[in-house]
Amino acid sequence: MRPSSSTSERAAGLFDGVLARGGVSEMVADAAWLDAMLRVEVALASVHAKHQVISDAAADEIAAMARPELLDLGAIAAQAAQSGNPVVPLVAQLRGLVTDPHSVHLGATSQDILDTVMMLIASRALGVILDDLAAAIGAAAGLAEAHRDSPIIGRTLLQQAVPTTFGLKAAGWLVALAEARDRVETVRHERLAVQLGGAAGTLAPLGDAGPAVVADLATYLGLAAPVLPWHTDRVRVADLAGALGTACGVIAKIARDVALLAQNEVAEVADGSPGGSSAMAHKKNPVAAICAAGCAAAAPGLVADLLAAMAHEHERAAGAWHAEWRPLRELIVATGSAASWLRACLERLTVDTDRMRANLAASGIDSPGPDACGALVDRALREVSHG
Amino acid sequence: MRPSSSTSERAAGLFDGVLARGGVSEMVADAAWLDAMLRVEVALASVHAKHQVISDAAADEIAAMARPELLDLGAIAAQAAQSGNPVVPLVAQLRGLVTDPHSVHLGATSQDILDTVMMLIASRALGVILDDLAAAIGAAAGLAEAHRDSPIIGRTLLQQAVPTTFGLKAAGWLVALAEARDRVETVRHERLAVQLGGAAGTLAPLGDAGPAVVADLATYLGLAAPVLPWHTDRVRVADLAGALGTACGVIAKIARDVALLAQNEVAEVADGSPGGSSAMAHKKNPVAAICAAGCAAAAPGLVADLLAAMAHEHERAAGAWHAEWRPLRELIVATGSAASWLRACLERLTVDTDRMRANLAASGIDSPGPDACGALVDRALREVSHG
Amino acid sequence: MRPSSSTSERAAGLFDGVLARGGVSEMVADAAWLDAMLRVEVALASVHAKHQVISDAAADEIAAMARPELLDLGAIAAQAAQSGNPVVPLVAQLRGLVTDPHSVHLGATSQDILDTVMMLIASRALGVILDDLAAAIGAAAGLAEAHRDSPIIGRTLLQQAVPTTFGLKAAGWLVALAEARDRVETVRHERLAVQLGGAAGTLAPLGDAGPAVVADLATYLGLAAPVLPWHTDRVRVADLAGALGTACGVIAKIARDVALLAQNEVAEVADGSPGGSSAMAHKKNPVAAICAAGCAAAAPGLVADLLAAMAHEHERAAGAWHAEWRPLRELIVATGSAASWLRACLERLTVDTDRMRANLAASGIDSPGPDACGALVDRALREVSHG
Amino acid sequence: MRPSSSTSERAAGLFDGVLARGGVSEMVADAAWLDAMLRVEVALASVHAKHQVISDAAADEIAAMARPELLDLGAIAAQAAQSGNPVVPLVAQLRGLVTDPHSVHLGATSQDILDTVMMLIASRALGVILDDLAAAIGAAAGLAEAHRDSPIIGRTLLQQAVPTTFGLKAAGWLVALAEARDRVETVRHERLAVQLGGAAGTLAPLGDAGPAVVADLATYLGLAAPVLPWHTDRVRVADLAGALGTACGVIAKIARDVALLAQNEVAEVADGSPGGSSAMAHKKNPVAAICAAGCAAAAPGLVADLLAAMAHEHERAAGAWHAEWRPLRELIVATGSAASWLRACLERLTVDTDRMRANLAASGIDSPGPDACGALVDRALREVSHG
């Protein structure tokens, strides 16, 4: 009664609608890794040709042959276990397709390829995450502006405190999202770098040309050029992890606020297209907020794993490098999915200002009204890029 | 130049040879989840029929129709996003296939199905992990016995200290593995329980029959019966996480020892079928130890995420439940893969007692020899189940 | 304007009222560690005397001299840095106080003392934590019994779902707390073991008497005797961490429920002696629930750190052992404080059944009432030890 | 036989020599928190006086009375539990000392004070950490320069690979440390901000003057001024955590390298003032590297806890805020201690180039020498600030 293999393939992604929403998942899929691995080998050959280390013809042939459909991907996956990574069998196959096998992967080691691929993939995925964050920021700005003067009871320690406005609440979301966005953007532009060092990170096989080759490879691939090969300096991975973990933390805060405001007893906001229940037809679950929270919750542990994996031994780690692949992938997916859910949540949020006013009145709190809030909202809208 | 969709499917698992070794990966795949979801619905119908809540014919029809090939799995995956989980669309489709839709999923809520599925999947996966741990334990016992009296320099803080034996070192691995195994086994037999509670965990729709239905469902599925529905009591998940995290910690310790002993400058053990390098043909990398370490390193963060997700609000969590799915799956895969690698590592480990003796002699340490070690090895072999 | 040193001492514990509530904090303080270190050295001497390794007079002298007031504790703390742990200077001072220096610390290494101390301290601290858990369990049982039939709207995904009873809610807390308690108890009784192995864990200096000495030491100190020295097998530490982390997860769940139920808009429970605010006199903050949640939140990361520290190299770790001290201490304090707060929270919880009924009526949900809940409450009270 | 209370106080810091080395520990001690709390209240009063919200005399009186020795610190600590934080009792006492109680803490809430204090303390502590990182960077640069051309076998996956130089290895440490340093510096200068918002973060009590008061307070205290109050936007805390966690990761890498190079079988470096053992007089433990590794290992879990605590509810968190205090403090101490140990480790590292050459020769690897390394070392020394 086991499902057939074709069924199994179609079923791939059973939880992806919830946990891998948005465009990021595809960008970290195996196909994307393979694609990027080939792209790096092609780039390397092209740069080698420019530096006359290999011929233009050899580089052109590599570019022509570096196509997934010419490779036996099943064999690559299977043989990856023998060497501990998929680059060794991929390079072997690619070498089998070209006239001069030595022109392939010249001066590089497996980690050079995978580290650079990781950065390429992160760069593209962060682009998508930034799009979703930008949309969420736009939505938060819209809410802040529209509700600049909508009074709401402020709540501290989950108790009614003193009045504020929903606009200021949304402006708080806006500022936090913008800070997270800024950090993701900085990491994307400044910290994602090409890695090339050869067997022990010395660039030895490239002689004096080493740094120039690295610089050209970086330009070719649209990545930064590092001061030194960073094969055992994982600050870039940590920077990436930290930026994504922070974004998830901000998303979790906003999702929590929305879920709390959407409680029936509070009912100040509602999810615009809520989800049902398999047991209760009347339920209006704030699915977007809840899924955003569920996805974002993956971040702390994944960041911890990536930080704990920074102690790469000598010139290549005895396990810590392998330990990065899965958590980084998962962290990118979790952040992308959380950002996509939050965007949906904020874009379709409906706000019940009457209920806010009623709850405020019922609180019996007669503090002076939140006159100062409008100015703060204006300040946030003015100082934070949200267009 | 993007790979075709069929290529993409074939490429699934690019890193699985390294990070998802052994039999566990398949057991937590989407197909296994779907299979188990259907199995739980069938079990529920069967138990309902026994209790005359639905007719035998209705239960039989559900059993006949609950086949993956009759479902539109793509639609299930796609619609999962709307309700926040895949049970809602699955139940809708299954209801469409039978004469009496109300006989399907009766008295259950989505979480009942998914929680029970999680336990079923864990039960099967832990069986495989226990097999690999048992084999690793057997290998460690073999090494302890064979090298009961093989002297080796003991090393503390990575400095040569006083003599011990390789047999006692292996006996230490044996005892640690056995402790981890015992805990995994206990959790598997005592803590994996069926979940059934209905919409708010009250078993309300089943009237007085509730507890009996739960007990029968547990028997049917080979799981424990809980005192109460545990939909928001996640101790079972934490127990599972703790047991797997502990096993990974033990594996990491042994893998680290092997990698250190295999250093060229030490050279006291070697991996029996070492892996090569894409840049250095002479390398004899201890791939199994390194991959075991790499896989095991995933555990701490995943356990942290699962513990952090224990605060399920009221009668169903607003995100924390969704937050369990991915880390639990990843943790099972990581542990299974690490156990499989460690088994391979220990089963094919070659031991160089001459080199051990030479290193010991070169240490210049003339402490009295490790006469006490043999008795400790015997004790470990005697008291720890390893057969 | 820096505070004087005496001021500084008086100020010790500025956050302890919140983060180190209850009796546990004192039990993991430096004084308790020192006390236990001396106790282990005395026990070791006593056992050596029994085995005629040292004279009874020597053992008696050690017992007489092993008093904190005879030691220069400042010097111990200062010199700890030189050897990397405080046992080396403590042993040196103790040797200086007795006639036969060699009779002190015989056959032991620093880690033997500190590991055994860690277990002794954990044993005492877990006793206090178990007391607080037992009281919280009693309070939960009391609430379950008193409110066996008090209807309340069940809430899923923070939305009103179908009716349940507050008694069943409390019974759910009861069962979860009892499961956590059972695990802590099991770990305390079965897994806290004496550690004695000598320089490389071989028990070499004790000759054939090794295992008997270990057994006697265990009996003397009220700890379990391990199969082998466990200096680099950290399953016991992981078991301890897992049990405490799980308890914190359960506490976090209950604290979250209470804080949510105490929201003004819900108002179904209140903290019996709520705390005020520095800015808002009208506030009735559910301080106990909030502090319980705040303390419990420390656990996931601390457990992760302890699991990540399991890879102890060879016969003594190069850092991973040192890495356990602080997180284990913090985890014990966090769990103890969280348990103490939760006990206070549940013991003084006031329940507003009128409000529960009103909220249920206002929900407009006309599902059949939670008749099944009473039987489940009875079952929980019957099957779970809570007396 | 319990130690007397005065003994207990003297014993404070039993593990601090190992786990709280350097100047940071004192800066996060309770006395420092109290000191900073008073400093913030004084600053607030001073700014209020400037804005004519209170009189200059009132501000002067507050400044005169805000001295730890005038407060009953024991009472503050004890009463902190009632309100959930120590600001409430501190403000009450301070108000009792001045003519106009209302002039104290005006417009502020407890979290305003503690958040600002956290930033002040972090700012000072990061200064010390930066000093130690700078010294470690200087030492790494010195090693890179001195050993620019000292050949050493490169090691990948803990196996001998191809030659590199010790200078390039040290240059790799240099670059990683500099990257970590740069991030800590950026966070210190750009992200540590004053917090002032009042009861619900609206700045309501200050009317139109709010933003100006915040700006002046920031200037007074040497912190950044935020766009909005950040009481529930914890990106700043996450930034701080990420920077410290990253620094610990870099330190862990270097410490691991040193401990591995110091193995007797490798013996290419040694700790200049190694520590002994309580059981083995001949041991030369690389205590500094090991303690650096032990301290740094605390970071991943603490960062995870801080990221997980970002979901602050509404206008003040119901537990997540309290959950930050301890891990942030521990993380600062761990990083400071790790940095201090690493500085000591690198400053007194002795390098055995003969042994490096001998190990390289013994490897039998006849790859072309690492001619390219010198240029890379030069590049690192040129491009990275290390003076």
Side-chain angles (χ1 to χ4, degrees), chain D residues 184-210:
Chain D
V184 172
E185 218 158 57
T186 300
V187 168
R188 187 177 185 228
H189 288 132
E190 299 178 7
R191 304 294 300 146
L192 302 184
V194 76
Q195 160 60 20
L196 184 67
T202 62
L203 287 167
L206 306 178
D208 294 344

PDB file of all heavy atoms in Angstrom, chain D residues 184-210:
ATOM      1  N   VAL D 184      31.340  44.066  15.712  1.00  0.00           N
ATOM      2  CA  VAL D 184      31.108  44.501  17.096  1.00  0.00           C
ATOM      3  C   VAL D 184      31.189  46.027  17.173  1.00  0.00           C
ATOM      4  O   VAL D 184      30.357  46.689  17.819  1.00  0.00           O
ATOM      5  CB  VAL D 184      32.128  43.851  18.061  1.00  0.00           C
ATOM      6  CG1 VAL D 184      32.013  44.456  19.456  1.00  0.00           C
ATOM      7  CG2 VAL D 184      31.926  42.334  18.123  1.00  0.00           C
ATOM      8  N   GLU D 185      32.149  46.589  16.493  1.00  0.00           N
ATOM      9  CA  GLU D 185      32.331  48.033  16.507  1.00  0.00           C
ATOM     10  C   GLU D 185      31.130  48.756  15.888  1.00  0.00           C
ATOM     11  O   GLU D 185      30.644  49.754  16.434  1.00  0.00           O
ATOM     12  CB  GLU D 185      33.600  48.371  15.711  1.00  0.00           C
ATOM     13  CG  GLU D 185      34.402  49.501  16.302  1.00  0.00           C
ATOM     14  CD  GLU D 185      35.849  49.417  15.809  1.00  0.00           C
ATOM     15  OE1 GLU D 185      36.057  49.417  14.568  1.00  0.00           O
ATOM     16  OE2 GLU D 185      36.761  49.324  16.641  1.00  0.00           O
ATOM     17  N   THR D 186      30.674  48.248  14.769  1.00  0.00           N
ATOM     18  CA  THR D 186      29.514  48.859  14.116  1.00  0.00           C
ATOM     19  C   THR D 186      28.293  48.808  15.027  1.00  0.00           C
ATOM     20  O   THR D 186      27.569  49.800  15.181  1.00  0.00           O
ATOM     21  CB  THR D 186      29.205  48.119  12.795  1.00  0.00           C
ATOM     22  OG1 THR D 186      30.347  48.205  11.947  1.00  0.00           O
ATOM     23  CG2 THR D 186      28.003  48.713  12.094  1.00  0.00           C
ATOM     24  N   VAL D 187      28.061  47.649  15.608  1.00  0.00           N
ATOM     25  CA  VAL D 187      26.914  47.530  16.503  1.00  0.00           C
ATOM     26  C   VAL D 187      27.059  48.504  17.664  1.00  0.00           C
ATOM     27  O   VAL D 187      26.101  49.185  18.052  1.00  0.00           O
ATOM     28  CB  VAL D 187      26.760  46.082  17.002  1.00  0.00           C
ATOM     29  CG1 VAL D 187      25.768  45.998  18.157  1.00  0.00           C
ATOM     30  CG2 VAL D 187      26.320  45.173  15.854  1.00  0.00           C
ATOM     31  N   ARG D 188      28.276  48.575  18.188  1.00  0.00           N
ATOM     32  CA  ARG D 188      28.479  49.475  19.327  1.00  0.00           C
ATOM     33  C   ARG D 188      28.181  50.930  18.969  1.00  0.00           C
ATOM     34  O   ARG D 188      27.537  51.658  19.724  1.00  0.00           O
ATOM     35  CB  ARG D 188      29.921  49.353  19.822  1.00  0.00           C
ATOM     36  CG  ARG D 188      30.171  50.119  21.105  1.00  0.00           C
ATOM     37  CD  ARG D 188      31.579  49.921  21.610  1.00  0.00           C
ATOM     38  NE  ARG D 188      31.774  50.554  22.891  1.00  0.00           N
ATOM     39  CZ  ARG D 188      32.816  51.335  23.174  1.00  0.00           C
ATOM     40  NH1 ARG D 188      33.761  51.542  22.276  1.00  0.00           N
ATOM     41  NH2 ARG D 188      32.919  51.875  24.369  1.00  0.00           N
ATOM     42  N   HIS D 189      28.641  51.358  17.809  1.00  0.00           N
ATOM     43  CA  HIS D 189      28.503  52.772  17.473  1.00  0.00           C
ATOM     44  C   HIS D 189      27.151  53.135  16.888  1.00  0.00           C
ATOM     45  O   HIS D 189      26.678  54.256  17.047  1.00  0.00           O
ATOM     46  CB  HIS D 189      29.622  53.197  16.518  1.00  0.00           C
ATOM     47  CG  HIS D 189      30.946  53.271  17.204  1.00  0.00           C
ATOM     48  ND1 HIS D 189      32.088  52.702  16.693  1.00  0.00           N
ATOM     49  CD2 HIS D 189      31.289  53.808  18.388  1.00  0.00           C
ATOM     50  CE1 HIS D 189      33.086  52.906  17.546  1.00  0.00           C
ATOM     51  NE2 HIS D 189      32.622  53.559  18.582  1.00  0.00           N
ATOM     52  N   GLU D 190      26.542  52.196  16.176  1.00  0.00           N
ATOM     53  CA  GLU D 190      25.330  52.554  15.448  1.00  0.00           C
ATOM     54  C   GLU D 190      24.052  52.011  16.058  1.00  0.00           C
ATOM     55  O   GLU D 190      22.970  52.548  15.810  1.00  0.00           O
ATOM     56  CB  GLU D 190      25.435  52.065  13.993  1.00  0.00           C
ATOM     57  CG  GLU D 190      26.601  52.701  13.258  1.00  0.00           C
ATOM     58  CD  GLU D 190      26.737  52.191  11.832  1.00  0.00           C
ATOM     59  OE1 GLU D 190      25.844  51.444  11.376  1.00  0.00           O
ATOM     60  OE2 GLU D 190      27.749  52.522  11.188  1.00  0.00           O
ATOM     61  N   ARG D 191      24.151  50.931  16.816  1.00  0.00           N
ATOM     62  CA  ARG D 191      22.927  50.226  17.187  1.00  0.00           C
ATOM     63  C   ARG D 191      22.577  50.325  18.666  1.00  0.00           C
ATOM     64  O   ARG D 191      21.485  49.919  19.047  1.00  0.00           O
ATOM     65  CB  ARG D 191      23.024  48.751  16.764  1.00  0.00           C
ATOM     66  CG  ARG D 191      23.308  48.530  15.277  1.00  0.00           C
ATOM     67  CD  ARG D 191      22.168  48.982  14.367  1.00  0.00           C
ATOM     68  NE  ARG D 191      20.955  48.248  14.687  1.00  0.00           N
ATOM     69  CZ  ARG D 191      19.727  48.747  14.611  1.00  0.00           C
ATOM     70  NH1 ARG D 191      19.528  49.982  14.217  1.00  0.00           N
ATOM     71  NH2 ARG D 191      18.687  48.026  14.918  1.00  0.00           N
ATOM     72  N   LEU D 192      23.476  50.796  19.484  1.00  0.00           N
ATOM     73  CA  LEU D 192      23.144  50.909  20.906  1.00  0.00           C
ATOM     74  C   LEU D 192      22.446  52.243  21.131  1.00  0.00           C
ATOM     75  O   LEU D 192      23.060  53.301  21.021  1.00  0.00           O
ATOM     76  CB  LEU D 192      24.409  50.785  21.765  1.00  0.00           C
ATOM     77  CG  LEU D 192      25.205  49.488  21.573  1.00  0.00           C
ATOM     78  CD1 LEU D 192      26.384  49.431  22.551  1.00  0.00           C
ATOM     79  CD2 LEU D 192      24.328  48.251  21.733  1.00  0.00           C
ATOM     80  N   ALA D 193      21.169  52.183  21.429  1.00  0.00           N
ATOM     81  CA  ALA D 193      20.353  53.397  21.468  1.00  0.00           C
ATOM     82  C   ALA D 193      19.647  53.544  22.794  1.00  0.00           C
ATOM     83  O   ALA D 193      19.348  52.571  23.479  1.00  0.00           O
ATOM     84  CB  ALA D 193      19.318  53.362  20.344  1.00  0.00           C
ATOM     85  N   VAL D 194      19.379  54.772  23.125  1.00  0.00           N
ATOM     86  CA  VAL D 194      18.568  55.072  24.294  1.00  0.00           C
ATOM     87  C   VAL D 194      17.139  54.581  24.047  1.00  0.00           C
ATOM     88  O   VAL D 194      16.683  54.527  22.907  1.00  0.00           O
ATOM     89  CB  VAL D 194      18.600  56.601  24.549  1.00  0.00           C
ATOM     90  CG1 VAL D 194      17.706  57.339  23.571  1.00  0.00           C
ATOM     91  CG2 VAL D 194      18.256  56.936  25.973  1.00  0.00           C
ATOM     92  N   GLN D 195      16.464  54.197  25.115  1.00  0.00           N
ATOM     93  CA  GLN D 195      15.040  53.839  25.020  1.00  0.00           C
ATOM     94  C   GLN D 195      14.253  54.747  25.952  1.00  0.00           C
ATOM     95  O   GLN D 195      14.557  54.828  27.146  1.00  0.00           O
ATOM     96  CB  GLN D 195      14.840  52.362  25.394  1.00  0.00           C
ATOM     97  CG  GLN D 195      13.420  51.975  25.803  1.00  0.00           C
ATOM     98  CD  GLN D 195      12.378  52.227  24.706  1.00  0.00           C
ATOM     99  OE1 GLN D 195      12.718  52.341  23.534  1.00  0.00           O
ATOM    100  NE2 GLN D 195      11.116  52.378  25.080  1.00  0.00           N
ATOM    101  N   LEU D 196      13.272  55.414  25.402  1.00  0.00           N
ATOM    102  CA  LEU D 196      12.346  56.200  26.224  1.00  0.00           C
ATOM    103  C   LEU D 196      11.016  56.251  25.489  1.00  0.00           C
ATOM    104  O   LEU D 196      10.959  56.647  24.322  1.00  0.00           O
ATOM    105  CB  LEU D 196      12.876  57.621  26.460  1.00  0.00           C
ATOM    106  CG  LEU D 196      11.998  58.467  27.399  1.00  0.00           C
ATOM    107  CD1 LEU D 196      12.024  57.920  28.829  1.00  0.00           C
ATOM    108  CD2 LEU D 196      12.460  59.929  27.391  1.00  0.00           C
ATOM    109  N   GLY D 197       9.982  55.818  26.173  1.00  0.00           N
ATOM    110  CA  GLY D 197       8.680  55.799  25.526  1.00  0.00           C
ATOM    111  C   GLY D 197       7.530  55.994  26.499  1.00  0.00           C
ATOM    112  O   GLY D 197       6.422  56.293  26.090  1.00  0.00           O
ATOM    113  N   GLY D 198       7.808  55.812  27.767  1.00  0.00           N
ATOM    114  CA  GLY D 198       6.717  55.883  28.733  1.00  0.00           C
ATOM    115  C   GLY D 198       5.889  54.610  28.707  1.00  0.00           C
ATOM    116  O   GLY D 198       6.233  53.640  28.030  1.00  0.00           O
ATOM    117  N   ALA D 199       4.773  54.657  29.417  1.00  0.00           N
ATOM    118  CA  ALA D 199       3.996  53.456  29.733  1.00  0.00           C
ATOM    119  C   ALA D 199       3.711  52.572  28.520  1.00  0.00           C
ATOM    120  O   ALA D 199       3.815  51.357  28.600  1.00  0.00           O
ATOM    121  CB  ALA D 199       2.691  53.860  30.410  1.00  0.00           C
ATOM    122  N   ALA D 200       3.342  53.165  27.409  1.00  0.00           N
ATOM    123  CA  ALA D 200       3.017  52.348  26.247  1.00  0.00           C
ATOM    124  C   ALA D 200       3.872  52.703  25.034  1.00  0.00           C
ATOM    125  O   ALA D 200       3.519  52.404  23.902  1.00  0.00           O
ATOM    126  CB  ALA D 200       1.537  52.459  25.903  1.00  0.00           C
ATOM    127  N   GLY D 201       4.971  53.387  25.286  1.00  0.00           N
ATOM    128  CA  GLY D 201       5.870  53.701  24.179  1.00  0.00           C
ATOM    129  C   GLY D 201       5.402  54.836  23.298  1.00  0.00           C
ATOM    130  O   GLY D 201       5.852  54.972  22.166  1.00  0.00           O
ATOM    131  N   THR D 202       4.515  55.667  23.834  1.00  0.00           N
ATOM    132  CA  THR D 202       3.972  56.765  23.023  1.00  0.00           C
ATOM    133  C   THR D 202       4.651  58.096  23.286  1.00  0.00           C
ATOM    134  O   THR D 202       4.394  59.058  22.588  1.00  0.00           O
ATOM    135  CB  THR D 202       2.477  56.968  23.340  1.00  0.00           C
ATOM    136  OG1 THR D 202       2.368  57.333  24.732  1.00  0.00           O
ATOM    137  CG2 THR D 202       1.691  55.684  23.096  1.00  0.00           C
ATOM    138  N   LEU D 203       5.474  58.141  24.299  1.00  0.00           N
ATOM    139  CA  LEU D 203       6.067  59.409  24.736  1.00  0.00           C
ATOM    140  C   LEU D 203       4.992  60.412  25.137  1.00  0.00           C
ATOM    141  O   LEU D 203       5.251  61.623  25.223  1.00  0.00           O
ATOM    142  CB  LEU D 203       6.956  60.022  23.638  1.00  0.00           C
ATOM    143  CG  LEU D 203       8.295  59.316  23.403  1.00  0.00           C
ATOM    144  CD1 LEU D 203       8.939  59.784  22.106  1.00  0.00           C
ATOM    145  CD2 LEU D 203       9.234  59.615  24.580  1.00  0.00           C
ATOM    146  N   ALA D 204       3.783  59.881  25.415  1.00  0.00           N
ATOM    147  CA  ALA D 204       2.638  60.756  25.671  1.00  0.00           C
ATOM    148  C   ALA D 204       2.891  61.782  26.778  1.00  0.00           C
ATOM    149  O   ALA D 204       2.565  62.964  26.615  1.00  0.00           O
ATOM    150  CB  ALA D 204       1.409  59.909  25.998  1.00  0.00           C
ATOM    151  N   PRO D 205       3.493  61.370  27.906  1.00  0.00           N
ATOM    152  CA  PRO D 205       3.607  62.340  28.999  1.00  0.00           C
ATOM    153  C   PRO D 205       4.458  63.547  28.651  1.00  0.00           C
ATOM    154  O   PRO D 205       4.406  64.558  29.338  1.00  0.00           O
ATOM    155  CB  PRO D 205       4.256  61.530  30.126  1.00  0.00           C
ATOM    156  CG  PRO D 205       4.073  60.097  29.749  1.00  0.00           C
ATOM    157  CD  PRO D 205       4.024  60.066  28.266  1.00  0.00           C
ATOM    158  N   LEU D 206       5.271  63.420  27.603  1.00  0.00           N
ATOM    159  CA  LEU D 206       6.182  64.517  27.284  1.00  0.00           C
ATOM    160  C   LEU D 206       5.620  65.464  26.245  1.00  0.00           C
ATOM    161  O   LEU D 206       6.258  66.450  25.876  1.00  0.00           O
ATOM    162  CB  LEU D 206       7.527  63.952  26.806  1.00  0.00           C
ATOM    163  CG  LEU D 206       8.178  62.956  27.774  1.00  0.00           C
ATOM    164  CD1 LEU D 206       9.469  62.420  27.181  1.00  0.00           C
ATOM    165  CD2 LEU D 206       8.439  63.607  29.130  1.00  0.00           C
ATOM    166  N   GLY D 207       4.414  65.154  25.759  1.00  0.00           N
ATOM    167  CA  GLY D 207       3.793  66.043  24.777  1.00  0.00           C
ATOM    168  C   GLY D 207       4.674  66.191  23.544  1.00  0.00           C
ATOM    169  O   GLY D 207       5.370  65.255  23.135  1.00  0.00           O
ATOM    170  N   ASP D 208       4.689  67.390  22.998  1.00  0.00           N
ATOM    171  CA  ASP D 208       5.442  67.620  21.773  1.00  0.00           C
ATOM    172  C   ASP D 208       6.945  67.482  21.979  1.00  0.00           C
ATOM    173  O   ASP D 208       7.697  67.279  21.027  1.00  0.00           O
ATOM    174  CB  ASP D 208       5.155  69.042  21.250  1.00  0.00           C
ATOM    175  CG  ASP D 208       3.712  69.178  20.821  1.00  0.00           C
ATOM    176  OD1 ASP D 208       3.046  68.119  20.640  1.00  0.00           O
ATOM    177  OD2 ASP D 208       3.248  70.321  20.674  1.00  0.00           O
ATOM    178  N   ALA D 209       7.372  67.591  23.223  1.00  0.00           N
ATOM    179  CA  ALA D 209       8.814  67.586  23.483  1.00  0.00           C
ATOM    180  C   ALA D 209       9.430  66.196  23.375  1.00  0.00           C
ATOM    181  O   ALA D 209      10.659  66.060  23.384  1.00  0.00           O
ATOM    182  CB  ALA D 209       9.090  68.166  24.865  1.00  0.00           C
ATOM    183  N   GLY D 210       8.608  65.177  23.276  1.00  0.00           N
ATOM    184  CA  GLY D 210       9.092  63.803  23.311  1.00  0.00           C
ATOM    185  C   GLY D 210      10.353  63.538  22.515  1.00  0.00           C
ATOM    186  O   GLY D 210      11.416  63.218  23.082  1.00  0.00           O
TER     187      GLY D 210
END
